Amino acid sequence: MKFQFINIGKPHEEALKKAIDDFTKRINNYYNAEWMVIQAVKNPASLPEAELKKQEGKIILGKIAKDDFLILLDESGKQLSSVELANFIAQKTTASIRSLIFLIGGAFGVSDEIKQRANFTWSLSRLVFPHMLVRLILAEQVYRACTILRNEKYHHP
């Protein structure tokens, strides 16, 4: 299985890039993992919010395959513990899912088309975090899930 982390916005900030890259490298010991940072639409301030989300949605839909399992990160989604996330990933592995796509939407969220396309909506927290911090938390939690599945010492319940 392959993990792909998709984010609309700027490249990783230097302050967090090293940590995000480190966790992504660690994930690659278990599954192929990569980041795709999609540049924001040009002149976003000149567009109404709905139009911006629609344009970003078209770009995102063009990057994912029909059989990819799309996990949308959104504060209104279902919250999972680290063990529940590990079990979720294990279920997708046994279901022969080829690619798990973790999507962090743009500054205003995602379009209705993306919400409808999502196979699962996951909330890291009811709190709202900056996108760069979400990238780091996501990478760390996916790595933690991998170690849980292998009964390795990283996770301490």
Side-chain angles (χ1 to χ4, degrees):
M1 181 168 29
K2 178 181 178 181
F3 293 154
Q4 188 167 38
F5 305 104
I6 299 178
N7 183 222
I8 298 280
K10 299 174 184 173
H12 302 317
E13 290 179 2
E14 282 304 313
L16 297 173
K17 182 178 183 347
K18 185 176 178 181
I20 293 167
D21 289 348
D22 180 52
F23 282 115
T24 304
K25 183 178 175 182
R26 292 181 191 195
I27 294 166
N28 272 290
N29 291 322
Y30 307 93
Y31 301 98
N32 290 330
E34 67 181 12
W35 282 90
M36 178 188 301
V37 179
I38 300 171
Q39 291 295 328
V41 174
K42 292 187 179 190
N43 301 318
S46 67
L47 296 173
E49 187 179 310
E51 181 60 27
L52 177 62
K53 291 194 295 189
K54 186 175 181 180
Q55 286 188 25
E56 290 173 345
K58 284 182 183 178
I59 295 168
I60 293 164
L61 290 172
K63 303 284 184 187
I64 59 177
K66 187 171 74 170
D67 61 342
D68 289 340
F69 193 92
L70 179 61
I71 300 167
L72 172 62
L73 277 79
D74 187 275
E75 67 264 14
S76 67
K78 180 175 173 55
Q79 292 186 15
L80 301 173
S81 70
S82 296
V83 172
E84 289 170 332
L85 175 62
N87 291 334
F88 180 86
I89 289 171
Q91 289 170 350
K92 300 310 165 205
T93 301
T94 59
S96 300
I97 301 292
R98 287 186 334 128
S99 292
L100 278 184
I101 309 291
F102 295 86
L103 173 64
I104 303 167
F108 297 104
V110 297
S111 66
D112 289 338
E113 291 82 10
I114 295 294
K115 288 179 182 178
Q116 291 169 3
R117 169 59 180 86
N119 300 97
F120 183 74
T121 303
W122 176 33
S123 172
L124 295 176
S125 170
R126 291 188 340 206
L127 300 171
V128 176
F129 299 111
H131 279 72
M132 292 293 170
L133 191 52
V134 170
R135 294 179 198 186
L136 178 57
I137 294 168
L138 173 61
E140 190 280 334
Q141 283 299 303
V142 170
Y143 170 69
R144 181 178 296 273
C146 292
T147 65
I148 290 168
L149 292 173
R150 294 274 178 94
N151 291 319
E152 295 175 353
K153 292 182 180 184
Y154 183 78
H155 179 70
H156 304 285

